[in-house]
Amino acid sequence: MQKIMLLFVALLIAFVPVANASQDDEVEPFTWDGKFLDVLKKVDIPVYIPSHVASSKFSRQLGPLFVSKLEASKDRYLFQISRQRVLDGQSRTLTFDVMTMSAGTLPNYRKQPFSTYESFEIPEGTITFNGFEMDYFANKRAFIWKANGWEYLVWAESTNNAFTIIKRVMATIPKGTTPVTGATKGQITVIETNECVCSDAGWSYDNGKTWYIITGRTTPEQLTKIVKSMVQVDTRLRNWRS
């Protein structure tokens, strides 16, 4: 019986990336328990949290959402949102990570929120696409472009795949707008793997002094909805401000 349960768990985990790869722009509301907001009272930097997270019909079957990790200090905080599943007849739970968000100053050895950008210091060439000047790397499998103080990186397994993803990213963020309202600068990374297309975001409201970073298995469409769902928490009054 134990071997059967272990096999079930292995299959479940194996199919999670496949399901995420096929989901589109679904997100799910996430309600924060007051006890977690109490922990964030010790943070001096502005506190922002998402009111929605990535979702799909398949992922919702894995279990309810909950805060699986929360760390907070005077100048930083980090939390992880996961799903929890309790197997029938079992006392142990299975945890599936959904997203992680951190906020604070970057370590001294980091120049940007995502070190991936530092791998592309010298472009192989430049092209113009959809009105944007884009540097390309890795034999035209990675592209970087800038708009309204933000940098965008798409890295795919082929040139055709890269342009397909680039079109998706551009479609989610209309020209002249930014992914996060009020952010002075930021970065979006979208990387294709054998399992899925994963998107991450990092941004700053104070021109780089403090960075807010979200990582997880999200599509570009989901990521845009998540960062637009950010709300600011007044840690003194425990009120949320959109």
Side-chain angles (χ1 to χ4, degrees):
M1 183 64 182
Q2 186 176 7
K3 290 183 178 179
I4 294 176
M5 293 306 300
L6 290 174
L7 177 60
F8 171 78
V9 173
L11 290 173
L12 192 60
I13 293 174
F15 278 105
V16 168
V18 177
N20 278 320
S22 64
Q23 69 192 26
D24 46 24
D25 60 349
E26 286 189 71
V27 294
E28 179 179 347
F30 183 74
T31 303
W32 284 78
D33 191 296
K35 66 181 181 181
F36 297 116
L37 299 182
D38 285 339
V39 175
L40 294 172
K41 283 184 176 181
K42 67 179 68 175
V43 182
D44 284 346
I45 63 174
V47 175
Y48 290 86
I49 56 178
S51 60
H52 288 73
V53 299
S55 181
S56 70
K57 181 178 179 181
F58 177 86
S59 65
R60 289 191 291 272
Q61 295 175 353
L62 298 178
L65 295 164
F66 73 108
V67 176
S68 56
K69 182 178 183 179
L70 177 59
E71 300 175 352
S73 62
K74 183 177 180 180
D75 57 359
R76 66 178 295 274
Y77 65 90
L78 179 148
F79 61 82
Q80 191 169 62
I81 297 176
S82 305
R83 291 188 183 276
Q84 191 171 62
R85 183 182 182 91
V86 181
L87 298 177
D88 294 339
Q90 299 291 313
S91 59
R92 292 182 301 175
T93 61
L94 300 176
T95 300
F96 303 90
D97 296 335
V98 176
M99 64 162 285
T100 299
M101 179 173 178
S102 62
T105 58
L106 295 179
N108 292 331
Y109 61 87
R110 290 281 295 277
K111 299 178 182 178
Q112 304 182 71
F114 297 113
S115 59
T116 313
Y117 284 81
E118 298 173 7
S119 303
F120 302 115
E121 294 183 357
I122 303 177
E124 297 174 1
T126 302
I127 63 169
T128 299
F129 178 74
N130 200 22
F132 293 98
E133 189 174 274
M134 310 172 68
D135 293 330
Y136 62 81
F137 312 80
N139 197 23
K140 291 188 177 180
R141 291 186 296 113
F143 295 82
I144 294 178
W145 71 98
K146 300 179 180 180
N148 302 308
W150 282 67
E151 289 182 293
Y152 299 87
L153 166 64
V154 168
W155 193 350
E157 295 186 340
S158 69
T159 302
N160 287 338
N161 288 5
F163 275 102
T164 297
I165 297 171
I166 289 170
K167 292 175 183 178
R168 289 174 59 186
V169 173
M170 290 184 174
T172 65
I173 308 166
K175 285 185 178 180
T177 67
T178 59
V180 179
T181 302
T184 56
K185 61 193 304 185
Q187 293 181 340
I188 295 286
T189 68
V190 185
I191 299 178
E192 180 188 35
T193 69
N194 291 330
E195 299 175 337
C196 62
V197 176
C198 298
S199 309
D200 301 320
W203 67 93
S204 174
Y205 298 101
D206 54 14
N207 208 33
K209 181 180 178 181
T210 305
W211 283 94
Y212 299 82
I213 301 172
I214 284 181
T215 60
R217 290 180 177 272
T218 60
T219 66
E221 295 82 3
Q222 288 172 322
L223 182 67
T224 301
K225 290 187 175 183
I226 293 169
V227 297
K228 287 187 179 298
S229 81
M230 303 302 296
V231 292
Q232 184 177 1
V233 178
D234 189 328
T235 53
R236 296 167 299 176
L237 303 176
R238 283 179 51 185
N239 290 330
W240 292 13
R241 294 183 298 181
S242 298

